[in-house]
Amino acid sequence: MNELTKKYLNFDHTTVDTSTIRVIFDELIAVLSHHNCQYYELASPEISDGEYDILFSLLKQLEEEYPEQKNLNSPTLKIWTASLADWFTKAEHPIPLISLSNSYNTQDLLDRDKQLKRIAEKEWLDQWSYNVDPKLDGSSVEIVYRKGHYLQAITRWDGTIGEDITNNVSKLRNIPLYIKAFSELDEVRLRWEIVLPINSFEAINKELIKSWDAVFANPRNAAAWTLRQRDSQIVYERGLVIFIYDVLSGLLFDKQTDQMQYLIDSWIPVHAWKKYGVSLDQVVEICKDTKVISQLESDNIEMDGLVIKVNDMKAREIFGSTEHHPRRAMAFKFPTKQVAARIHSVTYQVGRTWAITPVAELEPIALWGVTISRATLHNFDNTQSLDIRIGDRVRVQRSGEVIPYILGPILSRREWVERPIGIPEICPVCSTPTLQNDTEVAIVCPSLNCEGKIVQQMQHLVAKNCLNIQWLWASIIELLVQQRYLNNPADLFWLSSKWIELKTLQWIGDKKIWKILEEIEWTKTKELWRRIHGFWIKFVWKKVSQDLSKWFSSWRAEKGNNKDAHRTDLLTFFSDDNYLTELYGLGKQTIESVGAWSNSQQTIALIEALDEEEVKVVLDNMSIRGWSLSGKKFVITWSFEQYSRDQLSDFVIHEGGALSSSVSKNTDYLLCWEKAWSKLTKAKEAWVTILKLSEFFELTGKTIQTKKPTVQQTGLFG
Ligand code: IVH
């Protein structure tokens, strides 16, 4: 038992007065959090429940005697406040909560490191180190602190919008409701994981079994379910705990290690296991170390892997992110759970990429909390090379949120009556004879009029991240495709001319038709990237579409064409592979893909159809507002203390300038962070003018208003 615990179990009341009470409160709360952690997180209590009660009552009693000195972080505040929310309201994540890309072997980590090295090379960045954290398997949550006070907790949900669970989260055993170190900071947004300790999980299930109730499949489900209860008292009773792992905004550090130390010093709960400041080789060693894995897997907190993160924050910003994942971090998943199931038949689907894929229909089986009755077989190459047959018992794997897939047949269970999986000779939707693509393993339907393909394409075009036409439900699209109103993306913009006919269609209804046409009309002024994304060009995902639309503005500025953009311009831009190759973050495959797309007959017809309908290409967000940098070509390197790279590149484009990713003889200016100057030999050789930030703003006569937030380090209780 530690000294402080002893001190408060044998508490000497004569030491209390107005000058000592604050220290007493701080110490007592620290003692209680320590024992909470021992009990709930580590499952190794150091004191009895009775002793814990003594400490808890002491705190309550002192708080009643000195109410004005009461610490806002006190665990006594967590128990008795009533539930506020009747149901959860939605709340926005100003900085999206993106997730991590997964790796299942160390080769993936080596590949990522190689990719980072390629990016780093362009940025004169020569080294960085890695940190390894445990990947906690619970619910991800964002918490906002204002001037140190706990203000709001939001679930992740789709990453941009979540549910406001402020009241429930305030009842967690180890949540800080007041962080003194943040008291001078307007707003700090932190990212945490809420988990249910395994011993609590087992105790809950035991109770549920006793009362003949359904049990929870795993601690993650139990945690997520508990957080969504209206009665926040349950959250307290269940004993959920929270750990921090990331800062979203409000604090700025050069290294993650410093950031984590600062959080620990501010008494914010961080999981005890970590390996910081290690090299790539050491990362690989840790991931291969079976002792490490079995130690973590036997922890009282459920973990499903490790998270490898780049330590240096500057490097993190340079590496950026794809649409879904940051490049600076990667999850290394522990080997996953498997189960055996029998394939009773195989069906065929026209998938999102238009390939016809086989799907195994399974005899339903429970695997790690969900019932599985189907699993993808990917492609026919896969079924043949694994020799999977109808009637086989197969090993099915499910890891995390990934769709279950089949690892292979269990040959020892084969009864030799199983039948091979045939390759469909005709398309399951339109019955056109299928084709095998030379370059890929896929079996495709060659028909341009295949309804299955058109439905997929249209569904993508109207999706949230494309034109976002919410009234065009999947069933309506299917109907409109069947009735030949929609044969290609351009048809969408013709629908309004057919509204009288549409009214005769059963079960759409006047009001719905009106809503749909109205929404289609609105899309004409939506950002260009939505349309680019909607065209469904191979490798052109949302983030790439956004970048392409931005670079398009810049390209036009460079070409001196500043009037309204024209769609055929877009095609010229997509075929300008010399230009595209220079851009930051665009791969060879993507450049080839947009080139091929812009040259195809179908695209040209599509663009012509769009022209006829006079759909205005609006470069909405990226429109040029000033001319101070007109025609000048910039390279922006490194990140800057006050502004992000994106802020600066948007600013250049708004001012009529153009951007590329590396210095060449065409570059006019290199905008550079002062501390990286020594590394600019290439720029100096190319006789490029190097600008500091202050000189850059002098050139434009303007500055960027909003700055990145900074931390004023106040230190512990300081
Ligand atoms: S870092 C921007 N660190 O794993 C990346 N994530 O897909 C921020 N998770 O939903 C994530 N433990 O909820 C990070 N130590 C850890 C983590 C962790 C668990 C979760 C997180 C996210 C998922 C990754």
Side-chain angles (χ1 to χ4, degrees):
M1 194 185 298
N2 65 27
E3 287 306 314
L4 273 185
T5 309
K6 268 192 221 146
K7 172 175 167 189
Y8 285 99
L9 280 175
N10 306 303
F11 187 60
D12 176 5
H13 273 266
T14 58
T15 59
V16 188
D17 64 35
T18 37
S19 66
T20 54
I21 187 68
R22 290 189 64 158
V23 177
I24 293 175
F25 277 152
D26 283 345
E27 286 183 347
L28 203 41
I29 291 169
V31 169
L32 285 166
S33 343
H34 168 78
H35 291 295
N36 265 337
C37 168
Q38 290 302 104
Y39 186 88
Y40 290 104
E41 290 155 29
L42 307 173
S44 62
E46 291 170 350
I47 54 174
S48 68
D49 290 1
E51 284 168 324
Y52 183 87
D53 286 344
I54 293 174
L55 296 172
F56 197 90
S57 316
L58 173 64
L59 177 63
K60 261 181 87 176
Q61 186 196 336
L62 290 173
E63 283 176 348
E64 275 160 25
E65 281 171 37
Y66 295 90
E68 67 290 348
Q69 304 281 350
K70 186 166 164 172
N71 195 322
L72 289 158
N73 203 18
S74 170
T76 59
L77 285 172
K78 284 175 206 166
I79 321 177
W80 305 117
T81 39
S83 291
L84 294 175
D86 245 1
W87 199 242
F88 304 108
T89 50
K90 303 268 180 295
E92 207 179 318
H93 299 292
I95 297 173
L97 302 194
I98 46 180
S99 60
L100 298 171
S101 45
N102 288 327
S103 61
Y104 298 91
N105 52 56
T106 47
Q107 185 58 41
D108 292 340
L109 299 173
L110 299 177
D111 289 348
R112 171 64 62 89
D113 184 76
K114 232 186 252 156
Q115 187 194 7
L116 297 187
K117 285 213 172 81
R118 271 200 303 274
I119 298 176
E121 205 169 290
K122 282 192 175 179
E123 301 293 334
W124 299 282
L125 173 70
D126 38 31
Q127 53 187 340
W128 61 88
S129 67
Y130 287 104
N131 295 336
V132 185
D133 275 332
K135 186 167 181 299
L136 308 174
D137 196 12
S139 283
S140 183
V141 67
E142 167 176 351
I143 301 182
V144 191
Y145 284 89
R146 183 148 300 157
K147 295 271 185 215
H149 294 270
Y150 172 89
L151 182 75
Q152 194 181 28
I154 316 164
T155 63
R156 176 161 182 265
W157 208 0
D158 70 352
T160 47
I161 291 193
E163 280 179 323
D164 187 314
I165 51 167
T166 308
N167 198 37
N168 278 352
V169 171
S170 74
K171 300 301 182 323
L172 298 182
R173 299 282 166 154
N174 61 345
I175 180 82
L177 294 176
Y178 180 68
I179 299 171
K180 224 169 195 173
F182 295 179
S183 61
E184 300 291 312
L185 302 175
D186 282 340
E187 189 182 271
V188 180
R189 290 178 174 265
L190 305 173
R191 194 169 166 184
W192 320 60
E193 194 82 359
I194 298 176
V195 287
L196 182 65
I198 294 173
N199 61 344
S200 311
F201 164 72
E202 283 165 354
I204 292 166
N205 269 357
K206 230 186 238 163
E207 285 302 312
L208 290 172
I209 289 170
K210 263 197 231 155
S211 55
W212 292 90
D213 220 334
V215 295
F216 288 112
N218 52 46
R220 171 162 34 91
N221 286 4
W225 184 88
T226 309
L227 284 171
R228 298 198 75 256
Q229 295 314 296
R230 286 195 226 186
D231 179 2
S232 56
Q233 190 64 26
I234 296 179
V235 179
Y236 182 80
E237 281 161 10
R238 287 272 156 98
L240 294 177
V241 290
I242 189 164
F243 294 99
I244 191 162
Y245 58 72
D246 204 18
V247 173
L248 291 159
S249 65
L251 298 173
L252 212 61
F253 287 89
D254 283 348
K255 302 229 184 293
Q256 192 211 0
T257 33
D258 297 339
Q259 175 179 294
M260 295 314 274
Q261 193 52 48
Y262 174 73
L263 298 175
I264 294 169
D265 291 344
S266 310
W267 295 19
I268 300 175
V270 173
H271 193 278
W273 193 94
K274 47 184 110 37
K275 296 265 184 271
Y276 281 176
V278 292
S279 68
L280 177 68
D281 289 344
Q282 287 166 316
V283 168
V284 170
E285 232 169 75
I286 295 168
C287 292
K288 283 186 171 162
D289 189 340
T290 46
K291 272 211 274 334
V292 168
I293 297 183
S294 59
Q295 182 203 340
L296 293 179
E297 282 193 318
S298 56
D299 196 282
N300 192 34
I301 301 291
E302 179 88 16
M303 301 171 205
D304 58 343
L306 297 169
V307 184
I308 323 299
K309 304 171 180 179
V310 171
N311 189 13
D312 311 55
M313 296 295 182
K314 253 217 165 67
R316 289 176 167 211
E317 189 167 335
I318 286 168
F319 296 145
S321 50
T322 67
E323 187 181 330
H324 301 291
H325 314 296
R327 291 200 187 86
R328 61 163 159 103
M330 199 171 194
F332 177 81
K333 303 279 282 211
F334 293 149
T336 43
K337 320 281 184 280
Q338 293 174 14
V339 81
R342 196 177 149 272
I343 301 181
H344 66 69
S345 58
V346 166
T347 51
Y348 302 102
Q349 270 182 353
V350 178
R352 275 179 55 97
T353 56
W354 298 358
I356 297 169
T357 51
V359 178
E361 306 288 337
L362 305 169
E363 284 172 2
I365 182 111
L367 173 57
W368 204 230
V370 287
T371 302
I372 293 167
S373 54
R374 307 183 89 195
T376 175
L377 289 164
H378 297 299
N379 55 52
F380 295 98
D381 229 33
N382 180 50
T383 55
Q384 279 169 5
S385 62
L386 292 176
D387 185 26
I388 299 173
R389 305 182 189 183
I390 299 169
D392 262 345
R393 280 177 184 78
V394 287
R395 276 181 298 123
V396 185
Q397 172 156 306
R398 181 173 168 266
S399 46
E401 301 312 312
V402 184
I403 305 164
Y405 61 97
I406 291 177
L407 293 167
I410 304 172
L411 293 175
S412 57
R413 302 285 302 276
R414 202 167 253 182
E415 289 161 17
W416 301 104
V417 291
E418 295 80 4
R419 289 171 293 127
I421 298 168
I423 292 179
E425 281 166 13
I426 56 170
C427 168
V429 179
C430 70
S431 304
T432 308
T434 55
L435 269 185
Q436 174 136 27
N437 225 336
D438 291 344
T439 48
E440 290 160 46
V441 285
I443 305 288
V444 293
C445 167
S447 164
L448 292 177
N449 304 319
C450 172
E451 283 176 17
K453 284 163 64 169
I454 300 169
V455 167
Q456 293 280 338
Q457 191 178 6
M458 295 311 296
Q459 275 176 359
H460 173 76
L461 181 65
V462 307
K464 195 165 106 191
N465 281 329
C466 297
L467 297 182
N468 191 15
I469 305 179
Q470 294 178 357
W471 283 86
L472 261 181
W473 305 334
S475 56
I476 300 182
I477 291 180
E478 273 169 33
L479 181 76
L480 294 176
V481 171
Q482 261 166 28
Q483 307 270 333
R484 297 274 161 217
Y485 286 102
L486 294 177
N487 303 298
N488 58 55
D491 280 350
L492 195 68
F493 303 100
W494 290 99
L495 278 183
S496 60
S497 64
K498 301 190 179 147
W499 71 278
I500 298 184
E501 281 172 67
L502 290 178
K503 277 165 78 121
T504 62
L505 287 177
Q506 269 176 3
W507 62 258
I508 299 192
D510 270 10
K511 184 176 155 233
K512 230 178 269 169
I513 292 176
W514 178 243
K515 284 277 179 208
I516 291 169
L517 295 181
E518 195 178 49
E519 279 198 287
I520 294 174
E521 192 59 33
W522 289 340
T523 66
K524 295 178 183 173
T525 55
K526 282 187 185 170
E527 305 95 317
L528 175 65
W529 67 262
R530 292 181 172 278
R531 199 162 301 213
I532 296 179
H533 189 209
F535 289 150
W536 201 355
I537 309 163
K538 204 167 176 181
F539 305 122
V540 180
W541 316 117
K542 179 176 161 193
K543 177 79 165 59
V544 180
S545 314
Q546 288 172 333
D547 284 348
L548 280 170
S549 137
K550 189 156 96 178
W551 300 125
F552 180 47
S553 288
S554 161
W555 176 84
R556 298 183 71 255
E558 201 189 331
K559 298 264 178 276
N561 178 0
N562 294 312
K563 287 191 286 304
D564 273 353
H566 201 265
R567 265 166 307 285
T568 46
D569 261 12
L570 187 66
L571 295 191
T572 323
F573 169 64
F574 278 176
S575 331
D576 190 346
D577 47 350
N578 283 337
Y579 187 87
L580 295 178
T581 320
E582 270 196 32
L583 298 184
Y584 183 83
L586 275 190
K588 197 163 154 255
Q589 278 181 320
T590 316
I591 294 168
E592 275 171 16
S593 169
V594 293
W597 181 83
S598 58
N599 286 322
S600 91
Q601 277 308 312
Q602 247 183 312
T603 303
I604 293 163
L606 166 74
I607 296 292
E608 272 169 12
L610 288 176
D611 269 341
E612 274 180 62
E613 260 298 278
E614 288 184 20
V615 184
K616 272 247 179 304
V617 172
V618 183
L619 297 168
D620 257 20
N621 292 339
M622 297 313 306
S623 60
I624 292 163
R625 302 189 198 124
W627 302 105
S628 61
L629 305 179
S630 183
K632 296 288 180 231
K633 202 160 171 187
F634 278 80
V635 171
I636 301 183
T637 172
W638 214 267
S639 57
F640 295 78
E641 244 121 26
Q642 301 105 312
Y643 305 103
S644 72
R645 177 205 284 275
D646 270 352
Q647 274 177 309
L648 290 167
S649 57
D650 286 357
F651 184 79
V652 168
I653 290 170
H654 284 318
E655 287 300 314
L659 285 162
S660 62
S661 66
S662 57
V663 176
S664 72
K665 59 181 189 317
N666 299 326
T667 313
D668 292 301
Y669 294 111
L670 177 72
L671 182 55
C672 168
W673 181 50
E674 281 123 71
K675 292 184 194 158
W677 273 33
S678 58
K679 303 188 178 180
L680 300 180
T681 43
K682 190 173 167 198
K684 285 176 191 153
E685 274 164 23
W687 295 101
V688 170
T689 312
I690 304 171
L691 290 181
K692 289 186 206 159
L693 209 52
S694 53
E695 293 165 334
F696 170 68
F697 288 132
E698 252 164 51
L699 197 70
T700 63
K702 298 175 190 166
T703 54
I704 301 176
Q705 288 306 325
T706 43
K707 294 193 174 173
K708 288 204 292 199
T710 51
V711 63
Q712 297 154 315
Q713 279 219 16
T714 48
L716 185 60
F717 299 144

Short mmCIF file of all heavy atoms in Angstrom, two decimals, residues 98-100 133-136 140 191 193 245-246 307 309 326 328, ligand 1:
data_model
loop_
_atom_site.label_atom_id
_atom_site.label_comp_id
_atom_site.label_asym_id
_atom_site.label_seq_id
_atom_site.Cartn_x
_atom_site.Cartn_y
_atom_site.Cartn_z
N ILE A 98 -10.64 9.99 -38.44
CA ILE A 98 -10.36 8.96 -39.45
C ILE A 98 -9.80 7.73 -38.74
O ILE A 98 -9.39 7.79 -37.59
CB ILE A 98 -9.41 9.45 -40.56
CG1 ILE A 98 -8.23 10.20 -39.98
CG2 ILE A 98 -10.17 10.33 -41.52
CD1 ILE A 98 -7.27 10.69 -41.04
N SER A 99 -9.82 6.61 -39.46
CA SER A 99 -9.36 5.38 -38.84
C SER A 99 -8.01 4.98 -39.42
O SER A 99 -7.47 5.67 -40.28
CB SER A 99 -10.39 4.28 -39.06
OG SER A 99 -10.54 4.09 -40.45
N LEU A 100 -7.48 3.89 -38.92
CA LEU A 100 -6.15 3.47 -39.35
C LEU A 100 -6.23 2.39 -40.42
O LEU A 100 -7.15 1.58 -40.42
CB LEU A 100 -5.41 2.88 -38.15
CG LEU A 100 -5.16 3.81 -36.97
CD1 LEU A 100 -4.63 3.02 -35.80
CD2 LEU A 100 -4.17 4.89 -37.37
N ASP A 133 1.97 1.83 -29.66
CA ASP A 133 0.92 1.86 -28.63
C ASP A 133 0.08 0.60 -28.75
O ASP A 133 0.00 0.02 -29.82
CB ASP A 133 -0.03 3.04 -28.90
CG ASP A 133 0.48 4.34 -28.33
OD1 ASP A 133 1.21 4.29 -27.32
OD2 ASP A 133 0.14 5.41 -28.88
N PRO A 134 -0.60 0.21 -27.69
CA PRO A 134 -1.55 -0.90 -27.86
C PRO A 134 -2.80 -0.41 -28.58
O PRO A 134 -3.18 0.75 -28.43
CB PRO A 134 -1.89 -1.31 -26.42
CG PRO A 134 -1.59 -0.11 -25.60
CD PRO A 134 -0.55 0.70 -26.31
N LYS A 135 -3.40 -1.27 -29.38
CA LYS A 135 -4.65 -0.89 -30.06
C LYS A 135 -5.80 -1.40 -29.20
O LYS A 135 -6.08 -2.60 -29.17
CB LYS A 135 -4.69 -1.48 -31.46
CG LYS A 135 -5.88 -1.00 -32.24
CD LYS A 135 -5.74 -1.33 -33.71
CE LYS A 135 -6.91 -0.82 -34.52
NZ LYS A 135 -8.19 -1.40 -34.12
N LEU A 136 -6.42 -0.49 -28.50
CA LEU A 136 -7.49 -0.86 -27.57
C LEU A 136 -8.76 -1.12 -28.35
O LEU A 136 -9.11 -0.38 -29.27
CB LEU A 136 -7.71 0.29 -26.57
CG LEU A 136 -6.42 0.76 -25.88
CD1 LEU A 136 -6.70 1.98 -25.02
CD2 LEU A 136 -5.83 -0.36 -25.04
N SER A 140 -14.49 4.46 -29.94
CA SER A 140 -13.68 5.66 -30.08
C SER A 140 -14.55 6.89 -29.78
O SER A 140 -15.71 6.94 -30.18
CB SER A 140 -13.18 5.69 -31.52
OG SER A 140 -12.34 6.76 -31.73
N ARG A 191 -8.82 12.64 -28.48
CA ARG A 191 -9.43 11.40 -28.95
C ARG A 191 -9.06 10.24 -28.02
O ARG A 191 -7.90 10.06 -27.68
CB ARG A 191 -8.94 11.12 -30.38
CG ARG A 191 -9.77 10.06 -31.03
CD ARG A 191 -9.49 9.96 -32.49
NE ARG A 191 -10.07 8.72 -32.97
CZ ARG A 191 -9.97 8.27 -34.19
NH1 ARG A 191 -9.31 8.96 -35.09
NH2 ARG A 191 -10.52 7.13 -34.54
N GLU A 193 -10.28 6.08 -26.32
CA GLU A 193 -10.98 4.82 -26.53
C GLU A 193 -11.63 4.45 -25.20
O GLU A 193 -11.00 4.53 -24.14
CB GLU A 193 -9.97 3.74 -26.94
CG GLU A 193 -10.58 2.49 -27.49
CD GLU A 193 -10.96 2.59 -28.98
OE1 GLU A 193 -10.77 3.65 -29.60
OE2 GLU A 193 -11.48 1.58 -29.48
N TYR A 245 -5.44 8.56 -26.61
CA TYR A 245 -4.33 8.19 -27.48
C TYR A 245 -3.99 9.23 -28.53
O TYR A 245 -3.02 9.09 -29.25
CB TYR A 245 -4.56 6.83 -28.15
CG TYR A 245 -5.82 6.74 -28.97
CD1 TYR A 245 -5.92 7.40 -30.18
CD2 TYR A 245 -6.89 5.99 -28.52
CE1 TYR A 245 -7.07 7.31 -30.93
CE2 TYR A 245 -8.05 5.90 -29.25
CZ TYR A 245 -8.13 6.57 -30.46
OH TYR A 245 -9.28 6.50 -31.20
N ASP A 246 -4.79 10.30 -28.64
CA ASP A 246 -4.47 11.27 -29.69
C ASP A 246 -5.02 12.65 -29.35
O ASP A 246 -6.02 12.76 -28.66
CB ASP A 246 -5.05 10.79 -31.02
CG ASP A 246 -4.30 11.36 -32.23
OD1 ASP A 246 -3.16 11.83 -32.03
OD2 ASP A 246 -4.84 11.34 -33.35
N VAL A 307 -0.54 -0.18 -32.48
CA VAL A 307 -0.60 0.94 -33.41
C VAL A 307 0.80 1.52 -33.53
O VAL A 307 1.44 1.85 -32.53
CB VAL A 307 -1.58 2.03 -32.94
CG1 VAL A 307 -1.68 3.13 -33.98
CG2 VAL A 307 -2.95 1.44 -32.66
N LYS A 309 3.10 4.49 -34.83
CA LYS A 309 2.91 5.90 -35.19
C LYS A 309 4.26 6.59 -35.37
O LYS A 309 5.21 6.28 -34.66
CB LYS A 309 2.16 6.63 -34.07
CG LYS A 309 0.84 6.01 -33.71
CD LYS A 309 0.26 6.66 -32.46
CE LYS A 309 -1.08 5.99 -32.16
NZ LYS A 309 -1.71 6.51 -30.95
N PRO A 326 -4.66 8.16 -41.98
CA PRO A 326 -3.42 8.96 -41.97
C PRO A 326 -2.26 8.07 -42.40
O PRO A 326 -2.26 6.89 -42.09
CB PRO A 326 -3.28 9.36 -40.50
CG PRO A 326 -3.98 8.29 -39.74
CD PRO A 326 -5.07 7.75 -40.63
N ARG A 328 0.74 8.55 -41.38
CA ARG A 328 1.69 8.56 -40.29
C ARG A 328 1.53 7.40 -39.32
O ARG A 328 2.35 7.19 -38.44
CB ARG A 328 1.53 9.85 -39.50
CG ARG A 328 0.11 9.96 -38.89
CD ARG A 328 0.10 11.00 -37.80
NE ARG A 328 -1.21 11.51 -37.52
CZ ARG A 328 -1.93 11.14 -36.46
NH1 ARG A 328 -1.48 10.21 -35.66
NH2 ARG A 328 -3.09 11.70 -36.25
S1 IVH B 1 -4.52 6.24 -33.33
C1 IVH B 1 -5.92 9.10 -36.83
N1 IVH B 1 -4.11 4.75 -31.26
O1 IVH B 1 -8.41 2.00 -33.53
C2 IVH B 1 -5.64 7.86 -36.16
N2 IVH B 1 -6.13 4.41 -32.45
O2 IVH B 1 -8.82 2.43 -36.94
C3 IVH B 1 -5.97 7.88 -34.75
N3 IVH B 1 -7.60 2.72 -31.47
O3 IVH B 1 -11.06 3.90 -34.42
C4 IVH B 1 -5.97 6.53 -34.23
N4 IVH B 1 -6.29 2.21 -29.79
O4 IVH B 1 -10.57 4.04 -32.04
C5 IVH B 1 -4.95 5.02 -32.26
N5 IVH B 1 -3.58 3.55 -29.38
C6 IVH B 1 -4.43 3.82 -30.36
C7 IVH B 1 -5.67 3.16 -30.51
C8 IVH B 1 -6.50 3.49 -31.58
C9 IVH B 1 -7.45 1.97 -30.39
C10 IVH B 1 -8.78 2.63 -32.36
C11 IVH B 1 -9.38 3.93 -32.74
C12 IVH B 1 -9.70 3.82 -34.21
C13 IVH B 1 -9.19 2.48 -34.57
C14 IVH B 1 -8.24 2.58 -35.75
#
